[in-house]
Every structure is written in C-alpha cells, then in structure tokens.
Amino acid sequence: MPSYAELPLFTEAGITLPYSDLTIVSSDDKLFHVHKFNLASASITFSDMLEVGESGSEVALVEPAAILARLLPFAYPHISENIKIDIESDFVLLEALFKYEVTGGIEAVMRELRWEGPPLPPPPTPGCSFRDVERYWKTRRGTTPPNLAYALDPDAIIWSSSSSPGSPRRGIWTNTETREEVVCWKVQLEDMSSCGMGQTGWKGKEREGEAEGDENDWGVVIPALPGLVLLPAILPPTLQRSLTMESLRHSVLPNLTSLSAHYTLPSDGLWHAWESGRGEEKVPRIDSGKVVEVARRERVDFEPVTEANFQQVGGRGEVLKMGKDSEEREEPIVVKEVESTVAKLLPKLRWTTIGYSYDWTSKTYDFDRSAVPLPPLIEKCCREAVRAVPWKDVFPDEAEEIESNPSVKKGKHWQTWAEWYRPEAGVINFYQLSDSLTAHIDQSEVDAVRPLSPSHSFPFSLKSIGHSSIFLVGGPTRDTTPLSIILRSGDGLLMSGPKGRRVFHGLPRVLNDTLPEYLASDCQCPNVEDPNQWKAFGEYLEGGTRLNINVREVF
C-alpha cells in the first residue's frame, strides 16, 4: 500500500479537481478545489456546514494544508482506499478526523487499532433533528449492528382484522424501544401483473410473510408523511434480477456516470468491459498531465426551480462575487498522471443518469444534451407503480372535498397521474456498504407535486435492489424529526404532492449482510437464457452493493 505522499493529486500546495464546486482554504492560505457532494456524503459535520445545492462557495478551515491534504481524500473512495494512517505519529490528523466526523477516516483508524469505535450517539426520539437521527444511523461501532427497532418495518405493522370492502385497512407500527406509534393505512393496488410487479408475484418462500394473507397487491400510506406511498416487496426476485442487469448495462454513453468527468471510460461502458473479461484494461484520466486553469470563484444562491428559470443550465439564482481579491490567489495546477483499470473502477461507480442529463454541480438539467430514452423496463415499472396506486386514498381529504362539494373544481393533480404520468429523467445509484446520501430536498423539477418514483410532487419513484438500507423522510426543514424506514430489496417508494415532494430525505446507512439469497451469484435464474450470465451480476451485489433506481417527471 503506498504512503500518502505517493498518492496523486492531493498535496500540501493545494489541489484542483475537475468540476469542483467548493474551495477549502487552509490556515496557511492554500486552496483545495473539491466537490461539495463528496464532502457532505463523507462527513456529517461538513454536510451541516455546506449547502449542497449551492455552487462555487468557499470555506476557510483552521487546519493547515499539511493536515487538509491528508483529511480531504477520505471524501473520495478511489483515493482513500490507498491511505495508510500511522497511529503513533498522526495525532493531529486523528483529531481532525474526529472533529469533522469523517466516517471513512474513523473506520480506517478503527481497523488500525482494532477498536470498536466511539460510543453510539443517542437513538432517535421524538423531537430529534434530522442531523441527530442521521448521526445515529451513520455511526458504526465495530461489528455491532444498529438497533432496527427505531426504523419502521412494513413487516412489523399490526393491521386491523377487517375493513369495509375496497376501503383502506388501518394499522399501527410501534417503536418497541420508545413505544412511539405511527398510524398506517393499507391500500389496495391495481393489478400490475402485466409487467411482473406486485407481492402476488412472489413464489414460495422467497420472502416469507410478504404475500401471505393478501390476495391483492397493496401499499402503505402514512398520514404523518403526506403523499408518501410505501410499496413493500413490489418487485419479485425475477424482476429484481432483470432490473439489475438493465441498470448496469445502461451505465454507458450517452448516459453519464459518476466517473465520466474523470476518466476516459471504455466506449462500451465499464460493465460491458468487465463482463467481457477486460478487467485489467487501462482507463486513463481525462485530465492526465494537463494544466488546469482555476476559474474565478462565485457563489450562487440556489433557489427552487420555477417555470421561468428551469432552462437556466448554469444554475439558478443571483450570482455574487466573493470579493475583489477573489482572482488574486488562483494559480494553475498541473494534474499528475493517473490511470486505473476497469476492475478497480467498477466498485467506485456511484451513479448513472438516465433520461434528461442532470448536472450535480449546478443542480440543473442540461437541456443542451438530448434526452436519452429511459431503459424500457425501468420506465414501465415506474409508470405501472404510479398507475396502480389509488390516489384518492393517498389524499383522502381532497377526495372527500370533491365528493361532498359539487362546487369544488375537479381536476386535482393526483386525478391525472394514473393516465398521464411519464417519467423523463432519473438516476441509478450504486451504493456500497460504507456509502450514504446526506439530507437534501429535490428542487430541480418544474412540477414539484407529481410523484417521484420513488420521491417527488408529480410522483417521484424509487426502487430498491440488493442490500437493505435505512431511508429517512422528514419535513420542509432539518428541524423536523424524520421517520426512519427499512427499505429491503424489492421495495418501492413514491413521494408525491406539494407536502411530499419537497421535504428533506436521505439514506444514512446500507445494512451489512442483508443481500437476499435469490440475488446471490449461485442462484438459479429461470428468467435468463443463459443462467451463467447472472453470476457476474450476483458477485457484484455480493460485494456490498445496493441499487437505488430513482425516476421523475421534469416538466
């Protein structure tokens, strides 16, 4: 393992990474041009310090460049895996890692010391902020698993014994530690067998308890989270395998990936190269050996998208200059030569855009790039999920108002979703066991009411495949206590409506040892022509991967 001094890019003189949107200034006035998303994902403290939707900001820290050059790489998995910490001499670095709560660095220290880690923070209770709950789930202590009693589990909801035909059934989920109760409603879904979806599509005991006792497919509505629809086990195993294969095979141009800006990827994509036995193929960096000119720093006050500003590709809001000396300290930096291989980069793939291209720096859609058709199976599953939901049961107050008052104008937004919902963009996240997604609000779509599939105003739709995770859904501010929800492989989630799309949500934890047997590399797969072709996909998931498929309408 090379020492830190031998690693490329990060030096005590500073650094400029391509497409950086954040400048960290050391106490000795050295500049580190890095990525806000990476720092916010790697550290709870940094996520609180930074507004992830704001580009071009500058933050001054009290640490010298010598420490920052060793601290900041922990926000980059493809660099931090090579860092070796000397426990006996690196006390200042250790202090900084714990001060900023840099998860990857703390885990490296724990491995070196064989230490179980600091005490777990207090568990979530009513009144906790989003950050408090997020910290609880993110903190790892040796092999001690988190207490899942603090997360809503669809399998643990106690449903009433009966209800009126066609009416939702009331249920209660109880946090067995705090005795907090959450009211839930089981709603009956329309038939989804045409695309292979639904709890009724499970065979035998592939997932015990999911389809038992219900002749029809169902979802869970939680009144405390307006517009949210949880769809437990909505994807049977055969469909999960097909979606996994489609997701990885579509991680290729013209779809952009998390690695596209940094490496000249194989023309047929990383996965195709790996699948065809080219794991040792060299992959050069795009900026290898080049001199990078640093642009003048600007700060953009990010604002939600509207019909008037949604086509502004460069970011929305008033651009404010950082001061008259903002151009004086910028010096070009020569990027050292870096290359990797297909085998090393594949585990570092973190996301792939589908549909309209999304710029993660400016938080805007790049309409100069032609929209790429969504992968057909992903599009069909998300459309069917939105079509199958009885939206009158999701928004019962509005439905009752329409029913009881003829003068109320019909045409509520949710009345058209089943017929008109068309996902136009999305992202496929490839989480590893140590990854997380910090609290954020999706604000880049014109329609913030229709469902996100899995989470927006016109529905946002999310599909979960692979290892289980903890998903947090809160309110319009970080002061609102979020509800923790267990998402297992095959679960779906819809976030919709004016109170459901623009709320803080995040994914603080991927759970170890939760990959279902039917996704293992040696499982029998009757849905593919060659059963052996699943082996590579299963091995990829066994490495600790969780797929999160998110789609939404843009306009």
Side-chain angles (χ1 to χ4, degrees):
M1 179 178 291
S3 66
Y4 185 80
E6 296 172 332
L7 291 175
L9 299 178
F10 282 87
T11 70
E12 296 182 14
I15 185 176
T16 293
L17 296 177
Y19 305 97
S20 60
D21 59 350
L22 173 68
T23 300
I24 298 292
V25 184
S26 67
S27 61
D28 47 356
D29 212 33
K30 302 299 182 183
L31 304 180
F32 294 80
H33 300 280
V34 292
H35 302 94
K36 199 174 299 184
F37 179 86
N38 289 72
L39 263 65
S41 298
S43 159
I44 295 176
T45 302
F46 277 127
S47 71
D48 282 355
M49 292 171 58
L50 307 171
E51 288 296 329
V52 178
E54 205 175 277
S55 67
S57 55
E58 179 180 291
V59 175
L61 300 181
V62 297
E63 287 76 19
I67 296 301
L68 295 184
R70 307 175 70 193
L71 172 75
L72 297 177
F74 283 105
Y76 296 86
H78 61 288
I79 297 177
S80 63
E81 67 179 15
N82 296 319
I83 299 177
K84 184 174 178 61
I85 295 178
D86 185 346
I87 299 297
E88 295 183 357
S89 60
D90 282 343
F91 292 110
V92 180
L93 173 61
L94 298 180
E95 182 182 24
L97 289 171
F98 282 93
K99 171 184 175 181
Y100 293 108
E101 300 179 89
V102 181
T103 305
I106 293 174
E107 289 179 350
V109 173
M110 291 165 59
R111 288 193 298 270
E112 192 73 22
L113 292 177
R114 297 182 181 177
W115 174 48
E116 286 195 349
L120 290 173
T125 56
C128 287
S129 68
F130 204 111
R131 180 190 178 188
D132 292 334
V133 180
E134 197 172 38
R135 177 182 284 112
Y136 173 77
W137 292 113
K138 274 191 171 185
T139 302
R140 300 171 188 266
R141 188 166 186 232
T143 58
T144 303
N147 188 348
L148 298 182
Y150 290 98
L152 185 148
D153 184 349
D155 293 344
I157 299 173
I158 305 300
W159 300 105
S160 60
S161 57
S162 63
S163 63
S164 302
S167 298
R169 183 188 301 179
R170 192 176 189 272
I172 297 289
W173 170 77
T174 302
N175 182 324
T176 56
E177 297 288 340
T178 66
R179 309 312 301 174
E180 174 192 7
E181 294 185 344
V182 176
V183 175
C184 306
W185 292 92
K186 178 183 283 189
V187 298
Q188 184 173 317
L189 305 177
E190 296 291 333
D191 178 68
M192 293 181 287
S193 59
S194 63
C195 65
M197 295 175 67
Q199 295 97 349
T200 53
W202 290 72
K203 307 293 184 182
K205 294 185 178 181
E206 288 173 319
R207 181 168 173 183
E208 294 182 2
E210 284 304 339
E212 295 178 4
D214 284 280
E215 297 180 356
N216 301 301
D217 299 323
W218 52 277
V220 179
V221 175
I222 304 172
L225 299 173
L228 184 140
V229 184
L230 182 60
L231 305 171
I234 201 68
L235 305 174
T238 295
L239 190 54
Q240 291 181 49
R241 291 190 286 263
S242 297
L243 287 168
T244 299
M245 296 166 73
E246 184 176 71
S247 297
L248 285 166
R249 287 173 173 169
H250 277 76
S251 296
V252 60
L253 289 174
N255 293 320
L256 299 179
T257 76
S258 57
L259 301 172
S260 298
H262 309 293
Y263 294 91
T264 304
L265 300 175
S267 60
D268 55 348
L270 273 179
W271 181 259
H272 288 269
W274 170 255
E275 203 174 11
S276 60
R278 292 150 45 207
E280 297 307 312
E281 181 177 315
K282 300 295 184 182
V283 183
R285 282 193 70 103
I286 289 176
D287 53 3
S288 175
K290 293 183 179 179
V291 176
V292 178
E293 294 288 344
V294 182
R296 178 174 180 175
R297 297 189 302 281
E298 299 177 342
R299 178 167 62 84
V300 177
D301 288 340
F302 183 78
E303 64 183 50
V305 71
T306 66
E307 293 185 4
N309 69 17
F310 79 95
Q311 287 185 314
Q312 296 178 20
V313 175
R316 298 180 297 281
E318 181 182 3
V319 178
L320 304 177
K321 304 301 181 183
M322 297 301 295
K324 63 182 181 180
D325 64 338
S326 61
E327 297 180 56
E328 297 176 1
R329 294 178 295 173
E330 312 289 356
E331 296 181 358
I333 295 177
V334 178
V335 178
K336 296 181 179 179
E337 183 176 357
V338 178
E339 67 177 9
S340 189
T341 65
V342 168
K344 289 181 179 179
L345 285 180
L346 186 60
K348 298 166 187 174
L349 178 68
R350 289 300 181 267
W351 50 261
T352 295
T353 59
I354 52 177
Y356 281 106
S357 178
Y358 189 71
D359 187 323
W360 289 90
T361 299
S362 65
K363 303 301 176 187
T364 57
Y365 287 96
D366 184 356
F367 295 111
D368 288 339
R369 293 178 61 92
S370 299
V372 182
L374 266 66
L377 185 58
I378 290 176
E379 180 185 28
K380 184 175 182 180
C381 287
C382 292
R383 286 178 59 181
E384 283 297 295
V386 172
R387 181 197 61 79
V389 171
W391 292 105
K392 63 180 178 58
D393 295 329
V394 180
F395 301 101
D397 293 340
E398 292 184 8
E400 183 178 351
E401 183 182 13
I402 293 173
E403 184 71 24
S404 62
N405 189 350
S407 64
V408 174
K409 182 180 179 181
K410 293 189 176 182
K412 294 287 186 180
H413 49 84
W414 49 266
Q415 290 179 297
T416 65
W417 291 345
E419 181 179 0
W420 295 107
Y421 177 71
R422 298 291 186 275
E424 297 166 318
V427 60
I428 303 169
N429 297 112
F430 302 95
Y431 291 99
Q432 303 302 313
L433 290 177
S434 61
D435 291 341
S436 62
L437 180 64
T438 192
H440 66 285
I441 294 180
D442 300 297
Q443 302 197 94
S444 297
E445 291 74 40
V446 174
D447 192 324
V449 175
R450 289 182 278 186
L452 260 183
S453 184
S455 60
H456 289 61
S457 172
F458 204 152
F460 166 87
S461 172
L462 175 150
K463 304 295 185 293
S464 177
I465 301 174
H467 285 73
S468 302
S469 68
I470 300 297
F471 187 72
L472 303 183
V473 185
T477 73
R478 288 187 176 89
D479 294 329
T480 303
T481 304
L483 179 65
S484 305
I485 301 173
I486 298 176
L487 290 181
R488 295 188 176 90
S489 190
D491 289 348
L493 185 73
L494 297 171
M495 294 171 67
S496 62
K499 295 181 179 179
R501 278 284 301 273
R502 286 184 173 166
V503 296
F504 279 96
H505 56 282
L507 195 151
R509 184 80 172 249
V510 179
L511 302 174
N512 295 50
D513 302 321
T514 55
L515 185 72
E517 291 184 2
Y518 57 76
L519 294 180
S521 59
D522 59 354
C523 76
Q524 299 300 313
C525 306
N527 64 309
V528 295
E529 294 180 4
D530 178 7
N532 292 325
Q533 71 174 302
W534 172 254
K535 187 175 185 296
F537 294 92
E539 290 174 345
Y540 175 70
L541 295 178
E542 288 170 343
T545 305
R546 176 184 184 274
L547 273 65
N548 218 54
I549 303 172
N550 306 265
V551 306
R552 65 206 69 186
E553 282 204 339
V554 177
F555 301 103

